[in-house]
Amino acid sequence: GAVVSQHPSRVICKSGTSVKIECRSLDFQATTMFWYRQFPKQSLMLMATSNEGSKATYEQGVEKDKFLINHASLTLSTLTVTSAHPEDSSFYICSALKGGTNEKLFFGSGTQLSVL
Amino acid sequence: GEDVEQSLFLSVREGDSSVINCTYTDSSSTYLYWYKQEPGAGLQLLTYIFSNMDMKQDQRLTVLLNKKDKHLSLRIADTQTGDSAIYFCAERQGGKLIFGQGTELSVKP
């Protein structure tokens, strides 16, 4: 089956630093990738839709200057949390859309971000 | 609105059937999904159903869709302790998925 690799799986950083999370589709090309955020015991909230070669589309309430998304190739999207603060601590999950007659979304394994 | 709603907890005994329910709002949704999330892990697609179907069966999993009531359910037959996880239903709106809050399934031996 299709695989989406997300890295790192866990990161701890100091307040004020930036953290980059990578999402790769390993065996298919993904023109569209999605970034979600999940707080403990809560649902996944869509942050943004990342389209290869164009600017990401952010959901209402998500700061685009805070959460920088780059989708420079058909197999890689990155999310950079800039100037991270403790309230940014969360579980971030990416997903990649595999097109074709039977479109499917495949998810990465998630990144647990802890900001001290 | 975009709400997808699920009950938060379900507890069953090993060997029993589990039924997890979900209601959604967008009648134009094309696909509806069930995902499983184990602690600290990403989401695993369990199954999905196209909106013109009423039922889909896949081994121990049965999905029922009532389009009129916008109600989706997931039945797990012969529930095992390894099925303990959070189960999310999701509806597809355009290119994005809208998730429910997740139902935490606890399976007791």
Side-chain angles (χ1 to χ4, degrees), chain A residues 34 38 43 59 103 105 107 109, chain B residues 37 42 92 95-97 100:
Chain A
F34 302 91
Q38 186 182 29
S43 185
E59 294 299 302
E103 270 191 348
L105 267 182
F107 283 83
S109 52
Chain B
Q37 186 181 33
R92 181 156 167 195
K96 63 185 185 184
L97 290 187

Side-chain angles (χ1 to χ4, degrees), chain B residues 3-108:
Chain B
D3 290 344
V4 176
E5 296 193 356
Q6 302 175 237
S7 52
L8 295 181
F9 300 101
L10 177 65
S11 180
V12 301
R13 291 209 170 274
E14 194 173 17
D16 288 349
S17 292
S18 307
V19 179
I20 303 172
N21 294 302
C22 172
T23 56
Y24 61 98
T25 56
D26 189 348
S27 57
S28 64
S29 296
T30 52
Y31 288 94
L32 295 133
Y33 302 82
W34 284 102
Y35 286 89
K36 178 182 180 182
Q37 186 181 33
E38 300 190 40
L43 294 176
Q44 173 195 354
L45 176 64
L46 284 179
T47 187
Y48 64 94
I49 188 167
F50 191 53
S51 58
N52 69 353
M53 297 167 66
D54 297 324
M55 186 181 90
K56 181 178 179 181
Q57 187 150 3
D58 184 1
Q59 298 182 333
R60 291 192 297 125
L61 305 178
T62 303
V63 179
L64 294 178
L65 175 60
N66 180 330
K67 277 194 74 174
K68 175 175 164 288
D69 295 336
K70 298 192 191 73
H71 183 266
L72 181 73
S73 68
L74 173 70
R75 179 176 180 269
I76 306 172
D78 188 24
T79 314
Q80 303 298 307
T81 53
D83 295 324
S84 293
I86 299 177
Y87 291 80
F88 290 92
C89 68
E91 63 170 337
R92 181 156 167 195
Q93 294 181 3
K96 63 185 185 184
L97 290 187
I98 306 299
F99 286 86
Q101 315 93 301
T103 298
E104 184 173 350
L105 175 64
S106 173
V107 183
K108 299 187 186 320

Side-chain angles (χ1 to χ4, degrees), chain A residues 6-10 21 91-94 107-112, chain B residues 40-42:
Chain A
Q6 188 173 338
H7 178 81
S9 58
R10 194 174 291 272
I21 303 169
F91 192 56
Y92 294 86
I93 301 179
C94 71
F107 283 83
S109 52
T111 299
Q112 180 65 54

